[in-house]
Amino acid sequence: MGSRCINIMPKQWQEANQYKEIALTMPHEDKWIKGKVDLLIEFDNKIINLDLKTTTDLSDYALCRAINNFGYDIQGQLYKKLIEFNFNKPCETYLLFTSKDTANARIVNIDAYVNNCVDKVEQGINDLLFSLETGLYISPYKNISFLGM
């Protein structure tokens, strides 16, 4: 997978400063938030966040569905906050999808998704901190508040 990632990246990204699998932290109220990113590329006075994902279908429809179903937009927004706090530069978010079944890969820019889920991320962080402090779980699904058998 690593060689597919390198081969599909634009040449100027390959030659730029890269940070692989680094943990980033930032304050949120009186707590600290931590996230681990796959690959950051310092290019053109910004940071490219290249998040690696595996899929079976590289079509537009399948990738959009994956972004929504797996919350890649929310993850991207949290990473964007962490990256911009730590690097003090604007961040662009890309997903690099690799196919499980073939040697194909595809890079897609998901900034439109990422920039539209700021409120979801803030609510998610607050819910997580509440859960950690109280031991109570707040479900993102409004009608579900417990797990049953």
Side-chain angles (χ1 to χ4, degrees):
M1 183 168 154
S3 61
R4 280 189 270 172
C5 296
I6 290 171
N7 291 336
I8 194 172
M9 287 193 310
K11 185 168 180 57
Q12 61 267 32
W13 289 7
Q14 293 176 30
E15 297 169 353
N17 289 338
Q18 296 182 11
Y19 308 91
K20 297 176 183 173
E21 296 182 355
I22 62 170
L24 301 172
T25 59
M26 68 177 234
H28 180 79
E29 297 174 6
D30 61 341
K31 305 280 190 269
W32 281 85
I33 298 170
K34 179 180 179 181
K36 187 175 180 182
V37 295
D38 291 333
L39 177 61
L40 300 180
I41 302 163
E42 199 166 7
F43 173 73
D44 198 21
N45 205 31
K46 62 187 168 221
I47 302 294
I48 305 294
N49 175 22
L50 191 59
D51 198 8
L52 311 178
K53 304 295 181 193
T54 306
T55 188
T56 55
D57 185 349
L58 294 173
S59 70
D60 286 353
Y61 176 77
L63 299 186
C64 289
R65 192 176 69 224
I67 291 165
N68 288 310
N69 289 348
F70 299 118
Y72 296 154
D73 54 343
I74 297 169
Q75 180 187 38
Q77 178 56 234
L78 179 58
Y79 286 168
K80 179 178 180 165
K81 289 171 147 310
L82 286 163
I83 292 162
E84 289 180 348
F85 176 81
N86 282 271
F87 285 86
N88 198 29
K89 291 183 179 182
C91 172
E92 288 182 8
T93 304
Y94 291 80
L95 296 180
L96 191 153
F97 286 97
T98 60
S99 173
K100 292 178 184 177
D101 304 325
T102 67
N104 296 326
R106 183 172 175 199
I107 295 176
V108 294
N109 181 311
I110 64 162
D111 277 340
Y113 286 94
V114 168
N115 294 332
N116 282 302
C117 68
V118 175
D119 293 340
K120 287 184 192 176
V121 171
E122 285 302 312
Q123 187 61 51
I125 291 170
N126 291 331
D127 290 350
L128 175 62
L129 293 174
F130 176 82
S131 296
L132 292 172
E133 290 171 3
T134 65
L136 301 172
Y137 173 68
I138 297 177
S139 173
Y141 305 97
K142 300 305 174 199
N143 297 323
I144 302 173
S145 59
F146 64 92
L147 299 174
M149 290 182 52

